[in-house]
Amino acid sequence: MSPIRLMTPLKNEDIEKLKAGQAVLISGLIYTARDAAHKKLVNLLEEGKPLPIELKGQIIYYVGPSPAKPGQIIGSAGPTTSGRMDSYTPQLIELGLKGMIGKGKRDARVIKSMEENNAVYFVAVGGAAALIAKSITKCRVVAYPELGAEAIHELFVEDFPVLVANDIFGGDLFKEGIEQYKNKNLS
Amino acid sequence: MQVIGGGTIKTISTDKIISEVAKLCADSNYYLGKDVVEALEKGRKKEISPVGINIFDQIIENAGIAAKNHVPICQDTGVAVVFLELGQDLKIEGGDLYEAINQGVRRGYQEGYLRKSIVNHPFLRVNTGDNTPAVIHLKMVAGENLKIIVAPKGGGSENMSAIKMLKPSAGIEGVKEFVIETIVNAGADPCPPIIVGIGIGGNFEKCALLAKEALLREVGKPNIIPDIALLEKDLLNNINSLGIGPQGLGGIVTALGVNIEIFPCHIASLPVAVNINCHAARHKEIIL
């Protein structure tokens, strides 16, 4: 399937045309956050305080990059396991978060929240960190610098290669892929 | 060399150990081993899922970029796991061996632009800032050399590893069942295509260490014991029939290899440990 291009921020029309398995090249601004930053964001929400970033229409990329070498924009920057963010994600989706990029499955609550609020889950190739870094054109820390690699970074990306793993129609690439190739190994 | 009572004793300085460990930290994170690259190319040829083939292409291209630009293959540059085989006739000069290893890790992760992923306490979770302490396994051996293996291990695959104390009556079928259960449960999270290190026998902690040591063996090189080599082959086939595939998105190459190490055990026990490695299976070694 040939990839389609998407620009952030994402609109409902963008989300509605995405089906599980679709290859997508993402361009524009995206935010990074891992476990520690998610915990801080959700704590702020629970205290009724404003967040340091605007999530409406945005994408969060689950990544903790390695340090940039002199001359590099960012170090290696592949996705981390998304499941660790599951307990925090529905609250962010309810605020208007439209997409997440990570690796591995999401739990039922996250999938339900995506379907109800028009959001999608993309996967990037775990471990393809030096390759992915090439699609990042700008990087700056916008919140929680004390978290180091886990700080929230604002990234500008150009043609960041991802696949739609969960769409809003119940499509799930993990389930479908495994069903399709189960017992097909003949050697 | 130092002359003591007519004999000579080989010595190595801690400074030398520090600089070698630092170099191994960077090199292991930048340059994927030839055996792993070959296993990936073989997997790419075998895979039939178009999504899976595309993932293999990205992984192979990524390894090339990392090597060419001297940058980490994966942003998770891991816990620094250091295996030492210390010759009993060798003398270490200049300080504490463990401190030298940690100093080497500190320098390697700083100067190599590697991510620092260690927190000081399981609950307080403050980053130590220099990726220390390393996890060090020291073995005393005959001779006068020091072998150092640095094997950085990422969190994603380590988190999906498991250990179980089986009853001896469970036998080989019980072991197979537990391995498959562990791989199914791991699914996409350990970044397949994976390499599976399995320890069988010993006791609780010995078995876990065997599983980790199994990951240091070349991918695709069978165990020298024929029935264990056969078990490796059987398990690899069974794992690749699960359909999990590259990144868990479906395919027939879930694992690139299964490496098993065994050890004698108690009459009452059959311990099994499964240590999963992602496709970025990194380790480099040197003999001083």
Side-chain angles (χ1 to χ4, degrees):
Chain A
M1 200 186 295
S2 61
I4 59 166
R5 289 200 153 81
L6 279 183
M7 270 301 280
T8 62
L10 301 180
K11 297 180 286 295
N12 279 337
E13 304 90 270
D14 295 325
I15 303 296
E16 283 156 11
K17 66 186 176 195
L18 297 176
K19 294 265 177 67
Q22 173 70 52
V24 179
L25 296 169
I26 296 172
S27 296
L29 183 158
I30 63 174
Y31 291 109
T32 73
R34 289 174 45 110
D35 325 31
H38 272 77
K39 193 173 176 191
K40 283 180 180 268
L41 292 176
V42 168
N43 281 348
L44 284 178
L45 289 179
E46 279 163 4
E47 290 165 13
K49 291 182 180 155
L51 300 186
I53 52 171
E54 170 61 55
L55 289 179
K56 227 176 168 58
Q58 284 308 341
I59 293 177
I60 291 181
Y61 178 25
Y62 304 138
V63 61
S66 64
K69 279 190 162 182
Q72 274 190 318
I73 291 159
I74 193 169
S76 297
T80 193
T81 307
S82 308
R84 294 198 317 273
M85 270 54 78
D86 281 350
S87 59
Y88 307 113
T89 299
Q91 288 180 79
L92 303 183
I93 292 177
E94 281 159 26
L95 280 183
L97 179 70
K98 282 289 167 207
M100 290 80 66
I101 307 171
K103 68 176 179 82
K105 285 181 203 172
R106 307 314 300 263
D107 70 9
R109 269 182 71 236
V110 174
I111 291 171
K112 184 163 172 272
S113 178
M114 287 193 283
E115 289 173 8
E116 287 173 359
N117 297 285
N118 258 342
V120 283
Y121 171 50
F122 301 103
V123 285
V125 177
L131 175 68
I132 291 170
K134 287 182 156 246
S135 62
I136 299 168
T137 58
K138 274 189 210 168
C139 168
R140 99 186 151 97
V141 173
V142 290
Y144 313 133
E146 69 279 11
L147 294 180
E150 294 202 69
I152 298 184
H153 298 69
E154 176 189 80
L155 305 181
F156 280 88
V157 295
E158 258 178 47
D159 290 342
F160 180 162
V162 297
L163 288 166
V164 178
N166 292 94
D167 59 33
I168 55 169
F169 311 105
D172 184 328
L173 189 55
F174 292 103
K175 270 191 199 150
E176 292 160 21
I178 292 172
E179 267 321 301
Q180 192 178 347
Y181 292 100
K182 208 171 189 169
N183 299 320
K184 293 282 161 62
N185 170 43
L186 299 172
S187 62
Chain B
M1 290 280 179
Q2 236 180 34
V3 183
I4 295 176
T8 57
I9 292 180
K10 182 175 159 184
T11 62
I12 295 177
S13 71
T14 47
D15 282 348
K16 173 77 175 159
I17 293 169
I18 292 168
S19 63
E20 292 298 341
V21 167
K23 187 171 182 317
L24 289 170
C25 288
D27 287 358
S28 56
N29 272 296
Y30 299 166
Y31 315 120
L32 198 58
K34 191 166 160 268
D35 58 324
V36 184
V37 174
E38 282 170 6
L40 284 166
E41 278 160 0
K42 217 173 126 192
R44 159 74 174 78
K45 284 200 192 101
K46 179 184 157 107
E47 185 53 71
I48 55 172
S49 144
V51 167
I53 289 170
N54 179 263
I55 291 166
F56 266 111
D57 284 341
Q58 289 194 45
I59 291 170
I60 293 165
E61 188 187 352
N62 182 72
I65 293 170
K68 182 169 165 262
N69 298 341
H70 318 293
V71 296
I73 298 157
C74 181
Q75 78 288 340
D76 185 353
T77 50
V79 175
V81 183
V82 182
F83 288 90
L84 301 172
E85 287 177 23
L86 175 64
Q88 60 189 20
D89 299 328
L90 178 69
K91 186 168 184 283
I92 309 277
E93 261 187 352
D96 179 81
L97 175 61
Y98 281 60
E99 184 38 48
I101 299 297
N102 278 313
Q103 184 56 28
V105 168
R106 196 171 285 130
R107 189 189 289 175
Y109 274 70
Q110 193 57 43
E111 294 175 1
Y113 295 90
L114 308 179
R115 197 179 79 184
K116 289 81 184 169
S117 311
I118 305 300
V119 291
N120 67 336
H121 182 289
F123 304 122
L124 301 176
R125 306 196 77 81
V126 178
N127 198 302
T128 61
D130 59 10
N131 220 54
T132 67
V135 173
I136 302 169
H137 302 290
L138 173 63
K139 198 192 285 179
M140 190 75 105
V141 295
E144 51 174 21
N145 292 332
L146 173 64
K147 184 175 181 180
I148 307 172
I149 306 172
V150 174
K153 187 68 163 64
S157 58
E158 196 74 353
N159 280 352
M160 304 320 292
S161 302
I163 189 164
K164 192 168 185 182
M165 306 301 284
L166 296 173
K167 293 188 181 107
S169 62
I172 202 160
E173 287 311 314
V175 168
K176 282 183 171 177
E177 206 174 295
F178 176 63
V179 172
I180 294 299
E181 183 189 307
T182 304
I183 304 301
V184 168
N185 179 49
D189 287 0
C191 273
I194 53 176
I195 294 153
V196 187
I198 302 172
I200 307 172
N203 61 356
F204 186 75
E205 82 278 6
K206 175 71 182 175
C207 177
L209 191 56
L210 287 172
K212 179 122 304 172
E213 285 170 345
L215 291 171
L216 301 176
R217 197 202 314 152
E218 246 174 66
V219 186
K221 189 176 164 191
N223 190 297
I224 50 168
I225 306 164
D227 58 331
I228 300 302
L230 188 63
L231 179 58
E232 290 175 339
K233 208 175 151 200
D234 273 1
L235 274 170
L236 180 62
N237 269 331
N238 294 349
I239 290 167
N240 284 337
S241 296
L242 294 171
I244 297 169
Q247 297 294 302
L249 299 171
I252 64 164
V253 187
T254 302
L256 301 173
V258 173
N259 289 358
I260 302 176
E261 297 296 337
I262 63 166
F263 196 81
C265 54
H266 191 278
I267 47 174
S269 304
L270 175 51
V272 190
V274 182
N275 195 198
I276 305 179
N277 211 120
C278 59
H279 56 78
R282 295 156 286 183
H283 51 91
K284 289 276 183 277
E285 61 183 65
I286 191 166
I287 297 171
L288 300 175

